[in-house]
């Protein structure tokens, strides 16, 4: 599993010209899933996401977490995170999990992240054409791959 985490002062997701998710301070998390992913990847990433000390403290040092600042989350499924560009100029998405594998993992990720955060999170819609709007605060953008945890 791979995530791109962006610290935001605001973010939203629009599908078919309708806003389906909107937050102020928090994180926009883009999630890419591969066939080999499992609950242990979900558990590890969700703990990392809520505990990453990437919000400023009273001294403007990145030293507080999403939990500390009581921030919100928008989670967006994004298969293109696993694009391969080794051959040619057209990305291959063969590594990305197909919906029959990815959807249950995506749903489990939502439940686990909500449990770790202690409140509901907002989401896009799996497989939908989404317009994601954000104001990246910092900017702070972090990429984490659950397969690189050692």
């Amino acid at each position: 599993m791979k995530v791109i985490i962006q610290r935001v002062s605001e973010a939203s997701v629009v599908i078919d010209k309708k806003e389906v998710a909107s937050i102020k301070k928090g994180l926009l998390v883009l999630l890419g899933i591969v066939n080999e992913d499992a609950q242990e990847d979900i558990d590890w990433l969700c703990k990392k996401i809520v505990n990453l000390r990437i919000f400023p403290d009273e001294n403007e040092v990145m030293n507080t977490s999403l939990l500390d600042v009581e921030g919100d989350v928008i989670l967006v499924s994004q298969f293109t995170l696993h694009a391969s560009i080794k051959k040619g100029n057209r990305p291959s998405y063969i590594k990305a999990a197909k919906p029959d594998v990815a959807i249950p993992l995506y749903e489990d990720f939502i439940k686990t992240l909500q449990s770790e955060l202690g409140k509901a999170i907002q989401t896009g819609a799996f497989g939908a054409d989404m317009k994601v709007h954000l104001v990246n605060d910092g900017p702070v953008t972090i990429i984490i791959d659950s397969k690189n945890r050692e």
Side-chain angles (χ1 to χ4, degrees):
M1 247 173 224
K2 188 180 291 186
V3 292
I4 295 179
I5 300 166
Q6 296 178 306
R7 187 179 79 189
V8 298
S9 56
E10 61 186 75
S12 63
V13 176
V14 174
I15 301 172
D16 294 328
K17 299 182 181 176
K18 181 181 177 213
E19 187 174 86
V20 297
S22 177
I23 64 170
K24 294 295 181 191
K25 181 173 25 178
L27 300 175
L28 172 67
V29 179
L30 305 175
L31 172 66
I33 300 169
V34 295
N35 287 323
E36 299 77 27
D37 289 328
Q39 187 65 44
E40 67 181 25
D41 298 287
I42 293 169
D43 294 341
W44 185 80
L45 279 170
C46 289
K47 282 186 188 335
K48 277 287 180 201
I49 289 167
V50 301
N51 290 296
L52 275 175
R53 294 175 11 196
I54 58 173
F55 290 88
D57 64 14
E58 63 279 353
N59 298 314
E60 295 302 313
V61 175
M62 285 197 289
N63 201 28
T64 58
S65 71
L66 184 65
L67 289 170
D68 296 328
V69 301
E70 299 178 355
D72 292 311
V73 173
I74 294 180
L75 178 70
V76 174
S77 175
Q78 189 171 352
F79 73 94
T80 60
L81 293 183
H82 290 289
S84 173
I85 55 165
K86 288 183 179 181
K87 295 181 186 175
N89 293 315
R90 183 171 185 220
S92 167
Y93 304 107
I94 198 151
K95 290 182 182 178
K98 301 286 186 262
D100 61 320
V101 171
I103 290 172
L105 290 169
Y106 172 71
E107 291 170 349
D108 288 346
F109 198 99
I110 292 167
K111 290 176 192 165
T112 303
L113 189 56
Q114 288 180 153
S115 177
E116 289 291 329
L117 189 57
K119 64 180 174 180
I121 65 166
Q122 297 192 46
T123 67
F126 188 93
D129 180 22
M130 296 174 268
K131 308 302 179 212
V132 179
H133 305 269
L134 70 135
V135 176
N136 192 320
D137 182 21
V140 175
T141 302
I142 296 176
I143 301 169
I144 304 174
D145 188 328
S146 65
K147 304 303 187 234
N148 295 331
R149 54 185 140 183
E150 277 111 48

